[in-house]
């Protein structure tokens, strides 16, 4: 009797334990399903969009702005920088207005909006590949920039560098990239935009801090940059033309990284008839671009004032103005570490929509429900692939220009304006009609020139190095 009672108790305990396990598994699976799908049931605030846009916009591109100014001069360089920021704001406004229809249907992904206006197949294949290329390209550039920052910090304390001993070999840049990758392997397991808000907030704060620190450090130039000039560039016509083409791509990269994920960010903001999501999103964008202008203009103007034409020569051979500096050492170390922390967050903000799109596509193709194991495998593969691309082409400025022209400009200036033109149909020759066509024409011209300039420089520099060195 006692034995039977013990067996019964054990059976009940095992049954209860199994039920608890299945309940936990069911809960995790339900949560996983909510992680994959973007929806309008989330409760993001307007300042969430500010944080995300500042994080992805005030990126590594700000550190190459003095080089851009050196190719265009004070007047034209400032006009182009402000003009790119204004055009970016206009295209943000167009995307925000098109996010939701009058009947309340929301386009939570960029390609869904394209499919609604251009058709199912054309809308997908025109937007989705370019959006993915832009996100992969930006993340690749961020790996290079983050590794450069860590390497620069190390070089500041390397005695061999101080003594200028050529036989002393430092740590290869690829190893610093692997360190950056290790951080991304951990952060990439966070499920969705809401879960990385704290990461994005830290990245946004450090972005502002790195821009201000870089501007402050740049005000104390080294002997390499004494008695600089501020004239227009000299040299062969071909060299100057490709330099200008590349600079346009850098400007596009710096001013317009967030449009690729604007609809995905807006999808996390609740929308009602009384409080549509476009109002909260637009408020967040305006605040974000005030912060962007506050960060960009000082770095561009102070950096060009201090270094002038020298940013174009081979005195240091670097596009990142921060990497040219060695004193004051505490300020430079602080700026480099802030850049690294910021880029860790920026990488995830850009990668998160790509993860969601890819995981949804894999589920539909192979007819299965993804779980935590699948997420770890797929996202880790993405991080490793971007690392391999960065190690193969460790050229920060030229990759910045190439991806800026090839993928970022079309998805930022051209496609939003085309979609808005086709959906809203402005009256011919009206101010919106003219402004929209000018934006499209300008975007196509800059896309072609910057892509050519960046690709040409990549080919030339790739010949000088061995693979993954």
């Amino acid at each position: 009797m006692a034995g039977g009672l013990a067996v019964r108790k054990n059976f009940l305990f095992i049954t209860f334990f199994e039920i608890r396990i299945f309940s936990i598994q069911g809960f995790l699976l339900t949560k996983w399903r909510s992680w994959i799908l973007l929806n309008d049931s989330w409760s993001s605030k307007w300042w969430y969009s500010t944080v995300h846009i500042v994080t992805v916009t005030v990126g590594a591109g700000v550190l190459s702005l003095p080089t851009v100014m050196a190719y265009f001069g004070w007047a034209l360089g400032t006009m182009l920088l402000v003009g790119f920021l204004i055009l970016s704001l206009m295209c943000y406004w167009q995307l925000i207005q098109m996010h939701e229809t009058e009947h309340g249907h929301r386009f939570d992904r960029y390609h869904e909006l394209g499919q609604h206006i251009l058709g199912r197949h054309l809308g997908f294949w025109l937007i989705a590949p370019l959006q993915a290329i832009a996100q992969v390209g930006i993340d690749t550039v961020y790996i290079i920039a983050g590794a450069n920052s860590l390497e620069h910090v190390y070089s500041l304390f390397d005695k061999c560098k101080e003594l200028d001993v050529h036989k002393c070999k430092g740590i290869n840049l690829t190893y610093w990239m692997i360190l950056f990758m290790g951080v991304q392997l951990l952060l990439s397991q966070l499920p969705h935009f809401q879960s990385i808000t704290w990461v994005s907030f830290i990245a946004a704060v450090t972005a502002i801090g790195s821009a201000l620190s870089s501007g402050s450090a740049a005000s104390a130039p080294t002997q390499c940059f004494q008695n600089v000039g501020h004239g227009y560039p000299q040299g062969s016509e071909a060299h100057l033309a490709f330099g200008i083409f590349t600079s346009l791509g850098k400007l596009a990269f710096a001013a317009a990284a967030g449009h690729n994920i604007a609809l995905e960010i807006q999808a996390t903001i609740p929308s009602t008839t009384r409080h549509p999501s476009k109002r909260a999103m637009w408020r967040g964008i305006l605040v974000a671009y005030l912060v962007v202008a506050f960060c960009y203009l000082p770095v561009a103007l102070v950096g060009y004032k201090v270094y002038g034409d020298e940013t174009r020569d081979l005195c240091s051979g670097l596009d990142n103005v921060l990497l040219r500096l060695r004193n004051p050492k505490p300020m430079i170390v602080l700026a480099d570490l802030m850049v690294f922390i910021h880029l860790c967050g920026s990488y995830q903000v850009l990668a998160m929509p790509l993860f969601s799109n890819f995981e949804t596509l894999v589920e539909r193709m192979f007819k299965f429900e993804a779980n935590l194991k699948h997420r770890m495998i797929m996202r880790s593969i993405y991080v490793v692939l971007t690392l391999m691309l960065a190690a193969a082409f460790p050229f920060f400025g030229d990759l910045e220009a190439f991806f800026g022209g090839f993928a970022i400009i079309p998805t930022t200036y051209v496609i939003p304006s085309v979609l808005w033109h086709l959906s809203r149909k402005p009256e011919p020759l009206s101010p919106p009609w003219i402004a929209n066509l000018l934006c499209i024409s300008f975007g196509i011209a800059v896309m072609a020139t910057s892509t050519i300039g960046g690709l040409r420089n990549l080919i030339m520099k790739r010949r000088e190095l061995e693979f993954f060195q």
Side-chain angles (χ1 to χ4, degrees):
M1 183 71 179
L5 182 61
V7 171
R8 186 178 179 182
K9 288 182 178 180
N10 291 336
F11 175 77
L12 291 175
F13 175 77
I14 294 173
T15 303
F16 174 78
F17 184 70
E18 289 176 345
I19 291 174
R20 293 291 297 173
I21 291 177
F22 287 131
S23 299
I24 293 172
Q25 289 178 341
F27 172 76
L28 292 176
L29 184 58
T30 302
K31 294 294 290 182
W32 165 249
R33 303 304 305 152
S34 68
W35 293 347
I36 276 191
L37 302 176
L38 293 168
N39 56 71
D40 59 0
S41 64
W42 295 350
S43 56
S44 296
K45 309 299 182 182
W46 68 267
W47 57 269
Y48 285 33
S49 61
T50 298
V51 168
H52 292 316
I53 296 301
V54 169
T55 298
V56 298
T57 305
V58 187
V62 65
L63 301 174
S64 64
L65 290 179
T67 305
V68 173
M69 292 289 294
Y71 274 97
F72 296 111
W74 285 112
L76 184 57
T78 305
M79 288 174 59
L80 282 174
L81 177 57
V82 174
F84 267 93
L85 293 176
I86 292 174
L87 285 177
S88 296
L89 267 178
M90 187 186 84
C91 294
Y92 265 125
W93 181 84
Q94 291 174 331
L95 286 173
I96 291 169
Q97 295 297 315
M98 293 185 292
H99 173 76
E100 189 171 2
T101 65
E102 296 178 356
H103 305 291
H105 180 74
R106 303 179 68 178
F107 304 106
D108 292 342
R109 292 179 171 90
Y110 199 165
H111 67 263
E112 291 178 358
L113 176 62
Q115 289 176 305
H116 173 72
I117 298 174
L118 300 175
R120 180 180 178 183
H121 296 288
L122 178 60
F124 179 85
W125 291 109
L126 177 65
I127 295 176
L130 283 176
Q131 184 187 18
I133 292 172
Q135 290 167 285
V136 171
I138 297 172
D139 279 346
T140 301
V141 174
Y142 284 172
I143 291 177
I144 299 171
N148 281 331
S149 295
L150 292 179
E151 184 184 46
H152 189 220
V153 172
Y154 174 78
S155 70
L156 294 176
F157 298 94
D158 188 355
K159 296 300 181 181
C160 292
K161 294 286 184 180
E162 295 289 339
L163 299 174
D164 194 23
V165 178
H166 298 291
K167 293 183 180 180
C168 180
K169 187 176 180 180
I171 299 177
N172 193 291
L173 183 64
T174 304
Y175 293 107
W176 298 113
M177 294 181 185
I178 294 174
L179 180 58
F180 187 93
M181 181 194 73
V183 177
Q184 299 310 318
L185 286 174
L186 295 176
L187 293 178
S188 63
Q189 303 310 316
L190 296 173
H192 48 60
F193 263 129
Q194 282 190 317
S195 65
I196 65 168
T197 300
W198 62 274
V199 177
S200 187
F201 178 78
I202 295 173
V205 172
T206 54
I208 300 172
S210 64
L212 296 178
S213 300
S214 300
S216 300
S219 62
T222 61
Q223 294 181 355
C224 183
F225 301 102
Q226 298 295 327
N227 301 319
V228 298
H230 297 86
Y232 285 96
Q234 304 293 326
S236 65
E237 294 182 358
H239 178 75
L240 294 180
F242 283 115
I244 291 172
F245 293 168
T246 304
S247 297
L248 288 173
K250 293 177 182 179
L251 267 178
F253 187 99
H259 295 70
N260 291 280
I261 59 172
L263 296 182
E264 285 82 352
I265 294 175
Q266 192 172 350
T268 67
I269 300 176
S271 183
T272 63
T273 304
R274 188 175 181 180
H275 300 287
S277 63
K278 61 183 179 182
R279 292 182 186 176
M281 185 69 180
W282 181 239
R283 184 191 307 172
I285 294 291
L286 288 178
V287 175
Y289 263 67
L290 287 175
V291 176
V292 170
F294 176 74
C295 294
Y296 276 21
L297 291 174
V299 173
L301 299 179
V302 172
Y304 181 52
K305 173 66 177 178
V306 172
Y307 300 117
D309 300 340
E310 300 297 328
T311 57
R312 296 192 305 264
D313 69 11
L314 298 178
C315 183
S316 66
L318 297 170
D319 299 287
N320 185 335
V321 67
L322 185 60
L323 303 185
R324 301 168 180 267
L325 307 175
R326 299 192 67 83
N327 289 296
K329 189 175 294 186
M331 183 70 71
I332 298 170
V333 171
L334 177 64
D336 274 320
L337 293 179
M338 283 187 173
V339 169
F340 176 79
I341 295 172
H342 159 64
L343 293 175
C344 288
S346 299
Y347 184 103
Q348 287 303 315
V349 174
L350 285 162
M352 201 58 65
L354 193 62
F355 292 155
S356 177
N357 290 336
F358 181 70
E359 288 157 3
T360 303
L361 178 64
V362 169
E363 278 198 345
R364 292 175 180 174
M365 288 179 60
F366 297 99
K367 309 296 183 183
F368 74 99
E369 292 187 351
N371 54 34
L372 188 62
K373 178 180 67 177
H374 298 126
R375 181 185 71 180
M376 294 180 64
I377 294 173
M378 289 187 287
R379 297 188 179 190
S380 299
I381 289 175
Y382 172 81
V383 174
V384 173
L385 288 177
T386 53
L387 169 70
M388 294 177 64
L389 185 59
F393 296 93
F395 313 117
F396 165 70
D398 299 315
L399 268 184
E400 184 185 19
F402 174 72
F403 283 116
F406 181 71
I408 296 177
I409 290 179
T411 54
T412 298
Y413 303 113
V414 180
I415 294 177
S417 298
V418 169
L419 295 179
W420 189 85
H421 200 87
L422 294 176
S423 63
R424 301 305 167 94
K425 297 180 174 59
E427 184 180 349
L429 301 180
S430 63
W433 188 88
I434 295 173
N436 208 46
L437 288 187
L438 286 176
C439 183
I440 295 172
S441 302
F442 177 77
I444 293 174
V446 176
M447 176 181 65
T449 55
S450 58
T451 302
I452 293 172
L455 181 61
R456 177 252 188 187
N457 290 346
L458 283 175
I459 294 173
M460 293 185 64
K461 289 186 178 181
R462 184 64 250 174
R463 295 173 180 174
E464 302 174 2
L465 297 177
E466 297 180 3
F467 200 58
F468 291 102
Q469 293 295 323

